[in-house]
């Protein structure tokens, strides 16, 4: 229910995500959301605290990040949402299981 200006304020979005990672999904598309979803450490925190399904918001370059995917799997993401390259990686599959 925040104004667009507040929804695009990075500090407010980060604070909201600390309380509820789902808040990131409400951040409008644009530079703030792009910056946050591209920040590996930030996304690791969101995944650890608010669950694997939040991986859908991760920026494209991070979608193949082993650690992020393993963290997402630990917190409720389904294996079928892993990238094909990692699904075919025996070492990754063993870690995931």
């Amino acid at each position: 229910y925040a104004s667009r200006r507040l929804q695009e304020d990075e500090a407010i979005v980060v604070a909201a995500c600390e309380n509820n990672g789902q808040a990131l999904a409400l951040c409008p598309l644009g530079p703030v959301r792009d910056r946050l979803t591209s920040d590996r450490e930030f996304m690791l925190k969101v995944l650890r605290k608010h669950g694997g399904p939040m991986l859908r918001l991760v920026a494209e370059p991070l979608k193949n990040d082993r650690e992020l995917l393993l963290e997402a799997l630990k917190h409720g993401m389904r294996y079928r949402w892993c990238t094909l390259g990692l699904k075919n990686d025996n070492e990754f599959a063993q870690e995931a299981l």
Side-chain angles (χ1 to χ4, degrees):
Y1 299 108
S3 70
R4 178 83 175 199
R5 182 180 60 79
L6 294 177
Q7 291 176 11
E8 293 176 337
D9 183 300
E10 188 166 342
I12 290 174
V13 174
V14 169
C17 288
E18 287 175 5
N19 184 48
N20 182 347
Q22 300 288 335
L24 186 56
L26 301 175
C27 180
L29 296 175
V32 170
R33 184 170 173 163
D34 291 346
R35 222 175 5 265
L36 291 174
T37 59
S38 297
D39 181 333
R40 186 177 184 280
E41 295 308 311
F42 176 76
M43 289 308 299
L44 266 173
K45 287 180 195 175
V46 168
L47 289 169
R48 286 180 178 138
K49 191 166 184 178
H50 304 290
M54 295 304 294
L55 187 74
R56 67 186 161 76
L57 299 175
V58 170
E60 197 60 40
L62 294 177
K63 291 199 183 224
N64 287 314
D65 185 295
R66 290 176 85 88
E67 187 179 4
L68 282 174
L69 283 165
L70 288 170
E71 199 62 43
L73 288 166
K74 286 181 196 174
H75 292 91
M77 185 184 90
R78 295 177 188 243
Y79 187 75
R80 70 177 178 213
W81 296 112
C82 292
T83 60
L84 187 58
L86 287 174
K87 279 191 212 177
N88 292 330
D89 179 331
N90 288 336
E91 186 179 317
F92 177 79
Q94 288 178 342
E95 284 182 70
L97 296 173

